[in-house]
Each structure stands twice: as C-alpha cells, then as structure tokens.
Amino acid sequence: MIVCKFGGTSVASAEQIQKVANIVKSNPARKIVAVSAPGKRSSDDIKVTDLLIDLSNAALNNDDIEQKLQKVVTRYQAIADGLALDYAICDVISEDLRERLQGDKSNEELFIDNLKASGEDNNAKLIAAYFNSIDMPARYVSPKEGLVVNDLPERTFALPEAYSNLAPLKDTKEIIVFPGFFGYTKAGILRTFDRGGSDITGSILAAAVEAELYENFTDVDCVFSANPKVVNDPVEIKEITYREMRELSYAGFSVFHDEALMPVYKIGVPVNIKNTNNPSAPGTRIVPNRPATGRPVTGISADSGFSTLYVSKYLMNREVGFGRKLLQILEDENISYEHTPSGLDDISVIMRSNQLTVENEARILARVKNELSADDVQMRHGFSMIVIVGEGMRNNTGLAARAATAISKTGANIEMINQGSSEVSLVFGVLQEFENQILQALYGEFFAHVQA
Ligand code: ASP
C-alpha cells in the first residue's frame, strides 16, 4: 500500500485535482490520500489557509467577516464548478465555516486552529466527492477517527496511540481521503500542526498502516543539492538518507516538513518526493540507507536569522553544571537552541533570532552575568548557518579544509564551525551578508564537476 500526500499547489484548482485523480487512479496501491487546503494557483495568489487565518482574526477583532468568508467559499466554488460537482457542497462548506466562526473564542489559538483546519477538512470532503463522481470509490475519513494529539501548551504532535488507532485503515477497500494538518486531543479539541503540516499527517498515516512507500506530491521535480534560487541549475538529488535530509532542513530544502521525517523514519518507510505536474519524473527518494555514490557531499543548505549568545568565564571547563545552568536560563525563556560550539573557557549558544525580544534578551544577559558570574556575555545578531551534509563525509579527509578555503575566498570570516558528532554534517556560522556568496562558492567546490 502507498500513502500519498498532495500539497497546496497540487489541490489548488479543479485542473490540479484532476491531475491528482489521474495519479491516484494510475496505481491501485495508492489507497490513502492526504490532502492540503487549496494553495496558490499562481505566485500572486493567496493560500486558503492564509485566507482562513485572516478570517479568524477578523472574527476575533469583531470586524466584518462577510467579505472574507466569501473569499474562502469562492475558492471552493471555483473548484466544484470546474469538477462539475453539485453546488450544494459549497453551501455545506459555507455552513461549516459559519459554525466554526460561532465557536468558543476564549482560547484564541484554538479558535484559529479550528478555522485553519477547515481548509484541509473541506477540501478532503470535496475531493472524496469528486473521486466518487468519476467512479473512483472513495471515503472521507476525519482525523477524529484516531489521529490523537497532545494538549496545549506544547506544540502539536501525534500521541503514540494515533498509530494503532489509524492502523485499521490499511484494510480499506475504497480510497481514503484524509485531511492533512490537524488532529484532535483526547478531549476532542482540534489542534493543527505547524504550517506545512500536512506532510506530517501523511507521514503518520504511512507509519500507521506500515505503507511500502510514502509519496509526497508537490510542485517540484525533486530535491536539489542546493537552493536553486541561489545556485544556478544545482544537481538533483535522486536518493538521500533520512539523516541527511534532517541535517539539511534549512532553506532550500523545505519541500518536505522536517517534522514529517520522524514517523516514517521510525519504521523505515521510504519517502518519494514527486511532482504532481510531472508525475513520471522519478523524484527524490528519502531512504534509511543508500549505497555510497563516491561523492562525499549530498547537499548544502543555508539559512539566515540566527543569534549567538557568547559567554566566557575563566576556568569554565572545571565548573560542574555550568552548561546546564546556562541552558536552564534559555529554557526559562522558552527558547530552543541549534548549536553550542565551545572552547575551554567560552561557549556560544546559537538560536533562531525570532525567539528573542528586547525584554527577554536583557533578562538573559543579566542572569548569565549575575547568576553564572561570567566574565563576558554578549548577544550578537545577524548570522547565517551554512550546512554541508553527506553520509560520505565521514571517511573523507580534508573536506573541512576544502570548505574553509572556499569560504575564505569570498572574504568572509568564519565565526563558528561545528561538526555534528555523526560526522555527516559540517556547520559554518557566518555573517548574514555573505550567505549567498558562500553557498555558491561551496557548491562550486563540491559539485562543479558533477554531471547533473
Ligand atoms: N495548509 C497548511 C499550510 O498552508 C498546511 C499544509 O498545506 O501542509 O500551512
């Protein structure tokens, strides 16, 4: 059995949904289909999820909602029209939205989640109706039938029992159409995953039914070895391990949600990233292991928006519990970190800048200074992380030297180097303004002579 997930652009219009039907029909193993809400039809279009967020904010502010609600319904009307579906389905959608808008507003996050989720929920109902109308027996299945998630305040994740609850779906006769992006707590409260979270739903379903393959249909042919917006014509990745994909989860590799790897990784279901607009292209396979290619580096990713908390204290290495106390201060501010390169007497904690505010930054600096009696504490902003990843790097001598030389030729200073313990990744912290130049230089160093 294959579980496939179709992303926003794959289900953005009637024409796209017809392509989805053809893809599903062309392989009888494709029995479970997870869908996103209608996404963008062109670059200047607005995703239904964003229209729904706008609508729910208007409702929370007691602004007029009619026009905003109509915008959402119109998107479904256009789809129903193009698929020659009964118009009554749009009245049902409109009614459903009004009901959600009447919902409990005491917790704004949950109110917004409930509206956001309607994007995929109504799309799944509509797509199931379309499949049935063209003689593809299909059934809409709600996440209420087993996709249980945790309670607030932690970010949403599936509870272990979700997998056993959903396992019986493997015996389905009809095609199951399952809305992506959300689940229900044990108490029946709807919660959405992070943005792009339909990938996670597909992965949970694939793991639950122990699928032979999880196909993730999007609008690109494959994952590239570097961000094609920065590097000209980068090499396509045909096969990549879960671990490599995880390490590359920065910009340019966001075709697949990084949280979606875990469920399939645990039981070893391979993932195939494919293009709805070009389904015969083989795409990129994400697998537990792959044969060595002779090329040490599989991909290079980069992201900006990092800050560094630099702390130095003489004899830090002798002080038991220093690291724990430092990280505790960040935990108290609900801040997660990415890397902690360190020396004998100093340590840097690298984190996403969007977690910092003027207030929490001042609190952190004061606490580190006073509670840890640090000699020097600084928070510095405006960094990019450049990550070089490859299973083949482990046995390759001189790779870091090659990377550092390539970076030095751009004139950039390397502010931080971190080699993951697994030795499949090498991270460089640099000033943001050098990011693109460095990505291009590293790509030239490791891929220039590779045939695309
Ligand atoms: N529709 C949601 C979003 O735009 C989830 C998804 O498409 O995966 O983020």
Side-chain angles (χ1 to χ4, degrees):
M1 173 183 275
I2 296 174
V3 171
C4 31
K5 177 257 165 180
F6 291 88
T9 53
S10 304
V11 289
S13 65
E15 206 190 339
Q16 289 299 91
I17 294 173
Q18 280 160 345
K19 291 183 193 167
V20 168
N22 287 333
I23 291 170
V24 173
K25 206 162 43 179
S26 68
N27 186 345
R30 293 183 175 128
K31 276 288 191 214
I32 300 184
V33 179
V35 295
S36 282
K40 292 185 178 198
R41 292 160 292 186
S42 59
S43 56
D44 54 1
D45 200 10
I46 305 174
K47 287 174 156 203
V48 164
T49 309
D50 291 313
L51 294 177
L52 288 163
I53 293 172
D54 198 33
L55 172 65
S56 41
N57 283 325
L60 286 170
N61 295 331
N62 288 322
D63 292 343
D64 185 30
I65 53 162
E66 274 317 307
Q67 231 188 342
K68 295 184 190 297
L69 185 129
Q70 221 34 58
K71 265 195 189 162
V72 178
V73 177
T74 309
R75 287 292 306 266
Y76 291 106
Q77 261 161 0
I79 294 175
D81 216 13
L83 297 176
L85 287 175
D86 188 344
Y87 247 59
I89 197 160
C90 299
D91 295 335
V92 176
I93 292 175
S94 173
E95 215 27 63
D96 169 71
L97 287 170
R98 284 187 196 281
E99 227 167 83
R100 291 178 199 249
L101 286 161
Q102 294 306 316
D104 181 9
K105 295 194 179 72
S106 59
N107 184 312
E108 295 195 354
E109 186 181 332
L110 293 177
F111 176 78
I112 297 175
D113 275 5
N114 196 23
L115 268 142
K116 267 197 294 192
S118 74
E120 349 293 283
D121 207 24
N122 286 317
N123 214 23
K125 288 179 186 162
L126 195 148
I127 291 170
Y130 172 59
F131 283 2
N132 281 311
S133 79
I134 55 165
D135 275 341
M136 289 169 62
R139 180 162 67 94
Y140 155 84
V141 173
S142 166
K144 254 184 206 145
E145 292 185 33
L147 207 172
V148 266
V149 297
N150 61 321
D151 290 303
L152 280 170
E154 267 179 299
R155 44 211 298 272
T156 317
F157 57 83
L159 296 181
E161 54 264 46
Y163 297 91
S164 45
N165 292 345
L166 295 167
L169 295 182
K170 66 164 155 288
D171 301 319
T172 183
K173 297 267 175 304
E174 310 107 316
I175 296 161
I176 287 173
V177 186
F178 198 100
F181 196 34
F182 67 98
Y184 289 87
T185 66
K186 282 187 185 150
I189 293 166
L190 185 156
R191 292 192 70 197
T192 59
F193 296 117
D194 279 359
R195 291 301 301 267
S198 297
D199 286 352
I200 305 173
T201 306
S203 180
I204 293 167
L205 290 167
V209 302
E210 295 178 18
E212 67 190 83
L213 181 66
Y214 172 29
E215 289 178 325
N216 197 282
F217 281 89
T218 162
D219 53 7
V220 290
D221 274 355
C222 60
V223 177
F224 291 101
S225 48
N227 189 349
K229 289 192 184 124
V230 182
V231 169
N232 241 340
D233 220 4
V235 174
E236 297 181 358
I237 299 180
K238 294 194 171 63
E239 208 165 50
I240 184 169
T241 64
Y242 296 120
R243 194 156 55 158
E244 288 174 318
M245 191 66 187
R246 173 73 193 105
E247 298 280 349
L248 284 165
S249 65
Y250 288 155
F253 290 84
S254 48
V255 243
F256 191 58
H257 198 294
D258 58 356
E259 275 181 58
L261 276 175
M262 193 40 92
V264 279
Y265 165 74
K266 274 195 183 150
I267 63 161
V269 178
V271 182
N272 196 354
I273 312 273
K274 284 178 76 82
N275 189 352
T276 300
N277 305 316
N278 184 16
S280 59
T284 298
R285 284 175 70 86
I286 312 174
V287 293
N289 298 298
R290 64 173 174 80
T293 56
R295 190 193 312 154
V297 177
T298 302
I300 311 172
S301 69
D303 228 350
S304 54
F306 291 93
S307 297
T308 300
L309 174 64
Y310 171 82
V311 183
S312 83
K313 184 177 181 188
Y314 187 56
L315 293 181
M316 180 191 284
N317 62 329
R318 305 254 179 97
E319 196 172 320
V320 176
F322 190 91
R324 181 186 52 76
K325 287 181 210 148
L326 176 64
L327 295 178
Q328 184 65 51
I329 294 173
L330 293 176
E331 185 179 337
D332 292 346
E333 296 290 348
N334 204 18
I335 287 176
S336 62
Y337 67 92
E338 311 264 319
H339 307 282
T340 50
S342 63
L344 273 186
D345 287 342
D346 53 29
I347 182 165
S348 293
V349 187
I350 295 166
M351 64 202 92
R352 293 258 179 205
S353 313
N354 60 7
Q355 305 177 93
L356 293 166
T357 60
V358 177
E359 294 77 26
N360 68 13
E361 183 174 325
R363 277 195 301 269
I364 292 166
L365 292 177
R367 283 189 64 188
V368 176
K369 185 105 196 127
N370 301 332
E371 294 171 28
L372 302 183
S373 309
D375 299 329
D376 189 12
V377 194
Q378 290 171 35
M379 187 72 88
R380 295 166 65 209
H381 305 286
F383 291 102
S384 285
M385 294 297 136
I386 317 270
V387 194
I388 304 179
V389 176
E391 295 279 353
M393 283 166 54
R394 218 173 300 125
N395 309 314
N396 205 284
T397 323
L399 195 130
R402 278 173 69 190
T405 308
I407 294 175
S408 71
K409 285 187 188 148
T410 67
N413 181 37
I414 298 170
E415 311 275 337
M416 186 276 307
I417 302 182
N418 196 15
Q419 176 159 48
S421 322
S422 59
E423 285 188 49
V424 301
S425 72
L426 191 57
V427 186
F428 294 93
V430 294
L431 286 179
Q432 224 152 263
E433 52 265 38
F434 290 100
E435 178 183 314
N436 288 354
Q437 244 178 303
I438 292 177
L439 189 55
Q440 285 154 357
L442 289 173
Y443 185 83
E445 175 63 32
F446 292 109
F447 287 93
H449 34 275
V450 175
Q451 287 289 311

